[in-house]
Amino acid sequence: MKKAIIALTLIVLSVAIFLTACSSPKSEFMASFRNIVKNKQYTATFMLQPKAISGFEALDRLNPEALTASNLTVKTSRDTERDLTYSTFGIHIGGAPTMDLTAHSFQNGSTGKTFVPVNDFFETAAPVTNMLDLATDSVYSKVLSENEDLKGKYIDLLQTLQNVTGQVIDENTVDEQADQLQAIEGKTAFLLYKKLNSLDKSHYQTVNGTIKLTLNKKELAELANAWLEEFHSNQDFISIYAEIAGLTESQAKEGWENRSSEMQDALKSLIQNKKIQLSTIMTVYPDSDKGVKKLVMAFDYANQDKQQKLKFDFTMNLLDFEKIPTPPTKEDILTKKELDNVMTDIIRAQRK
């Protein structure tokens, strides 16, 4: 059943992302989303906010009130013509004390490069720094104090991964995987379009200037099953799965076929189990200029037998475009020598 929930969660989130990027299959949604595809530049915020969590063994040791007071946010500015993206990631952890972790990234789609500012490590909030020092026996702060000359520079993630893992990562392979992911996203969007287009008009309602789309357990399970069917033997998906799992393509194909079959069986059981309630309501706030100014997806799961409850909201806001900061130049990026020096400092500090 856990596999079914995971599959459904991924599909529901994909639906939300799809609806923010494509026109709706129904006329009401088309009127709201028709201008989104015209936006060559946009800024958007995304938030995942738990509303209720209870009955899950893996989370029993955590404070439920702290969990529902926590959230994950992403703010993204995208310039499609320059193929540049600047994102700010935020994690707010509720409870006492509260903690906020912030990170940034530049993505250059034309080169496949992703850069992270070194300043993010120097500007962590006090509770986060204290936690990292506690976990590393103060190695975190010690290494930072020895490398303050790196402030203002940027980390090339691909280069850093090569340094840390000792493996040479072929940039052509990275580009190929990016194309494969794009193909998977395209197929997913088209699949969702077809499935949503087949829904009866009664699913869509206009309420106080908003448009609501309601999907029940059976419809969500059918969406998930359709996705599994589509990618049961998809070569792009198999290649990505093999890379992530560290398998040969033949091993990945066999393994994925088994896992997808198991998930399909779990989805059938989910539909038949009357003790499990599952639904989602998507609320769209139309905008004459942007197409959509806000989308809220409310996810609701309950299992009567296990006394489990899970509710969360996924919210997207489309904002006025915020200019992307100037991308880092070659001189701004940490060299291999500088990265090696940092790694040496970490090893030296750990030995003391």
Side-chain angles (χ1 to χ4, degrees), residues 254-299:
E254 181 180 357
W256 173 244
E257 286 178 351
N258 292 334
R259 288 179 65 85
S260 60
S261 295
E262 290 173 1
M263 285 189 282
Q264 286 178 310
D265 290 340
L267 288 169
K268 291 178 183 177
S269 299
L270 177 66
I271 294 174
Q272 296 168 359
N273 191 335
K274 296 182 179 180
K275 296 295 183 69
I276 294 178
Q277 286 80 47
L278 181 66
S279 65
T280 187
I281 299 175
M282 301 178 197
T283 304
V284 172
Y285 296 75
D287 182 88
S288 58
D289 295 324
K290 302 183 184 74
V292 172
K293 63 181 177 182
K294 183 177 181 180
L295 178 143
V296 179
M297 185 191 73
F299 178 91

Side-chain angles (χ1 to χ4, degrees), residues 219-232:
E219 291 156 348
L220 289 171
E222 288 173 348
L223 270 175
N225 189 69
W227 188 88
L228 290 170
E229 288 284 351
E230 178 70 27
F231 290 98
H232 185 73

Side-chain angles (χ1 to χ4, degrees), residues 50-63:
K51 294 293 185 179
I53 303 174
S54 62
F56 293 91
E57 185 177 346
L59 302 175
D60 281 348
R61 295 182 181 180
L62 301 177
N63 183 348

Side-chain angles (χ1 to χ4, degrees), residues 89-150:
F89 305 90
I91 299 177
H92 173 73
I93 302 174
T98 60
M99 286 194 292
D100 289 280
L101 183 62
T102 304
H104 306 83
S105 74
F106 279 100
Q107 287 180 291
N108 188 324
S110 61
T111 64
K113 296 281 190 179
T114 300
F115 304 102
V116 174
V118 174
N119 284 1
D120 281 350
F121 296 94
F122 286 95
E123 296 172 357
T124 54
V128 177
T129 301
N130 293 337
M131 181 189 68
L132 291 171
D133 278 341
L134 185 64
T136 63
D137 196 20
S138 297
V139 168
Y140 180 77
S141 289
K142 183 174 179 58
V143 171
L144 288 180
S145 66
E146 294 174 349
N147 291 276
E148 293 202 6
D149 57 316
L150 300 183

